[in-house]
Structure formats: structure tokens, C-alpha cells
Amino acid sequence: MSQTLAIIKPDATGNGKAGKILAHLEDEGFTVRAIRMVRLTRAQAEAFYEVHRGRPFYEELVEFMTSGPCIPLALEADDAVSRLREVIGATDPTEAEEGTIRKLYAESKGRNAIHASDSDENAARETSFFFPEAERIGSGR
Ligand code: GDP
């Protein structure tokens, strides 16, 4: 078992799809190990997406991620990082596979319903960004 970090984004919390997305994740076999609702500050959103600073969409991304509540989730499954990337689908919902979360719930490439870590290293960094170690309910602890 391994863990990854998902964020239900402000478009989905704002249009009433957060519960459906959480149910979809559980139906796909992920166990929720930590969950909270946060309104990111500009500084937090900039820090979280630091890797994208300088990209043409960076400002729009920071604006969007601070526009409403986010729900970060620490999720556990076998091969959690790659499995979750499959389940969420391509960044642009018009390119996402049928049945993926972004195909079902995303509005556009920017307002795309959910974030998922893209490597084990980033999963660890992004999980600790939202959840101090002591708050996480790991298996076997
Ligand atoms: P992800 O790993 O599939 O989330 O995609 P990336 O790491 O490439 O981009 C991070 C996030 O930036 C995406 O989920 C989108 O919310 C946003 N983003 C990426 N590309 C674009 C773009 O071309 N336009 C806009 N508006 N947002 C984008």
C-alpha cells in the first residue's frame, strides 16, 4: 500500500460535486487517511504550485485555487500515485478517458475538479503541506 495526495478543487466544491467525487474515489478502492476543507491563501497556493511559476497559466491557477474551498485528501491504495492519475484522467477534460473524474466533473483544463500528485516524492511533499504527520491515520499505526 502507498499514499498519494488529492485535492478536490474549488469548481467542484462550488458546484456540489465534492461528495460525488469522494464517493468515486472510494468506489475505485482508495481509503481516505486524512481529509479537511481549506480556503488557500494566495501565498499557500503560490507555494503549492511553485513548480509552475512562470508558466502562462500560473496566475490563473493561483486565482482559481484561492477562489473557494478546497478539500485535500490523503488517499491510500496499491500504487496510489499512478492509480489515482488513471482515475482522474487527463488534465484537459476534453482529452480525458470516459468514466474518469475529470471527464465526468471537470469544466475546463483550468477548472478541472481535482488535483493528484504526479510522483511518490511529490505525494510526500504535498501530503505534508496539508497534513502534519500526527494527524494522519496510517494503516498499522
Ligand atoms: P495535472 O498534473 O494534470 O493537474 O496538470 P499540470 O501539473 O500540468 O497543471 C497543474 C494545473 O494547472 C492543472 O490541473 C490545471 O488546473 C492548471 N493548468 C494546466 N494547464 C493549464 C492551461 O493550459 N490553462 C489553464 N487555465 N490552466 C492550466
Side-chain angles (χ1 to χ4, degrees):
M1 287 285 174
S2 57
Q3 288 196 11
T4 190
L5 189 277
I7 307 173
I8 300 176
K9 294 185 177 183
D11 57 322
T13 60
N15 66 15
K17 301 302 182 193
K20 288 192 187 326
I21 291 172
L22 187 53
H24 190 115
L25 293 167
E26 290 188 320
D27 287 346
E28 290 284 358
F30 291 93
T31 302
V32 178
R33 291 297 181 191
I35 181 168
R36 60 190 288 229
M37 182 176 264
V38 293
R39 181 77 185 255
L40 292 175
T41 64
R42 166 164 281 272
Q44 286 171 327
E46 286 179 354
F48 188 83
Y49 282 112
E50 183 64 36
V51 66
H52 291 309
R53 193 185 287 273
R55 299 265 193 101
F57 59 84
Y58 180 73
E59 183 55 33
E60 196 178 325
L61 176 59
V62 169
E63 285 286 325
F64 167 55
M65 291 301 286
T66 56
S67 67
C70 288
I71 303 177
L73 302 158
L75 297 174
E76 186 175 83
D78 285 334
D79 298 321
V81 168
S82 56
R83 182 84 189 97
L84 184 60
R85 295 296 306 193
E86 282 172 23
V87 165
I88 71 169
T91 309
D92 184 339
T94 64
E95 293 167 10
E97 300 272 336
E98 291 298 326
T100 59
I101 289 175
R102 283 168 166 170
K103 186 69 172 188
L104 289 166
Y105 302 115
E107 295 173 14
S108 64
K109 191 173 185 182
R111 299 169 62 85
N112 61 0
I114 188 165
H115 166 86
S117 307
D118 62 4
S119 67
D120 285 331
E121 188 187 4
N122 282 338
R125 181 182 75 79
E126 293 175 0
T127 301
S128 57
F129 187 95
F130 290 108
F131 303 108
E133 184 75 22
E135 282 179 20
R136 261 178 281 155
I137 307 165
S139 49
R141 277 191 304 202

